[in-house]
Amino acid sequence: MKAIAIDAYGAADRLTLRELPEPPVGPDTVLVRVRAAGVNPVDWKVREGHLAGAMPSHFPLVLGWDAAGVVAAAGPAVAGFAVGDEVIGYVRRDDIQHGTYAELVPAPERTLADKPVQASWAEAGGLPLAGLTAYQALQQARTGAGDTVLVHGASGGVGHLAVQLARALGAHRVIGTASEANHDFVRSLGAEPVAYGDGLLDRLRAVAPDGVDVALDLFGGESLDVSAELLNRPARLISTADPEHVTRLGGSYLFVKPSTADLSVLAGLVDADRLTVHVARTFPLAEAAEAQRLVAAGHVRGKVVLEV
């Protein structure tokens, strides 16, 4: 099969398109023929070795945790999927080696769900990791009817889905921080945009004088401090970026987990026209390095996706 792999940690130029043996298919594993693979910030962090101390890694290492594709084979213990099924997956295993930047990926059954019918392959490929992160964070904060929700980075991959999901969960009001160039986009998602930068706390207090009920942080640092100042209950502060800092402030950290049930909820919302994955740009598999550079720059509106 063709795949994008690295032989050692380092810069994006280590990503090379090559021929690799087809991956093994375990008893409870589904072999997925990938049609699209989302590109996420964690991908370049894996490439640079930032997760080496947290998860065992093996070379050659194929990057990527997001996939949308068609079931090519299924292990004998797989009950929920059959050859020919269209699926999406957040294919994070217990170690890092067989990623989704490839024609074929071995996916534990627990990482997959049926592909939303209304989504294109690119939209479906961009949904799993970002969608699960947003959904699980909002669930962890017990987001519900009547809440005012603050989403930092509201135009990005996780943020633009979090805005829509907060609305779907019944939030009365969503406030989203974003650059001024993205304010119209944030409004179109159903949030009130507030510009980043110096004076952020004052601008947020001006639009939410009574504070907020839930805050989702994707960056750490100042956005956590600002959120803590505005929150009515610190326990409803969730960060995906800074576990120590958010804990000191009384909130909690989220590291997204694979979940068939949660993926199915997201797919259902897409098919009900209540959730849309905005694909900013697609790249062919061979241009994975350029796709990662774009994501690492941090200015993407929505998702970047590899077409396989």
Side-chain angles (χ1 to χ4, degrees), residues 36-41 43 66 101 121-128 130 155-158 160 277-284 287-307:
V39 180
N40 297 287
D43 298 346
D66 268 348
Y101 290 15
W121 283 114
E123 291 165 345
L127 176 63
S155 65
V158 174
H160 89 288
V277 181
H278 178 79
V279 178
R281 188 169 173 187
T282 61
F283 290 83
E287 296 179 16
E290 187 61 30
Q292 283 199 0
R293 291 187 186 102
L294 179 60
V295 170
H299 303 296
V300 174
R301 180 186 293 179
K303 293 291 302 177
V304 170
V305 178
L306 298 175
E307 294 180 319

Side-chain angles (χ1 to χ4, degrees), residues 66-67 86 121 138 149 190 222 229 253 262 264 278 292-293:
D66 268 348
E86 296 184 349
W121 283 114
L138 292 167
V149 178
E222 182 184 9
E229 289 284 340
Y253 174 67
D262 290 351
S264 297
H278 178 79
Q292 283 199 0
R293 291 187 186 102

Side-chain angles (χ1 to χ4, degrees), residues 69-97:
V70 180
V71 174
V78 172
F81 303 99
V83 172
D85 287 349
E86 296 184 349
V87 296
I88 55 174
Y90 168 44
V91 189
R92 179 166 66 77
R93 304 160 66 94
D94 294 330
D95 60 356
I96 304 176
Q97 182 178 23

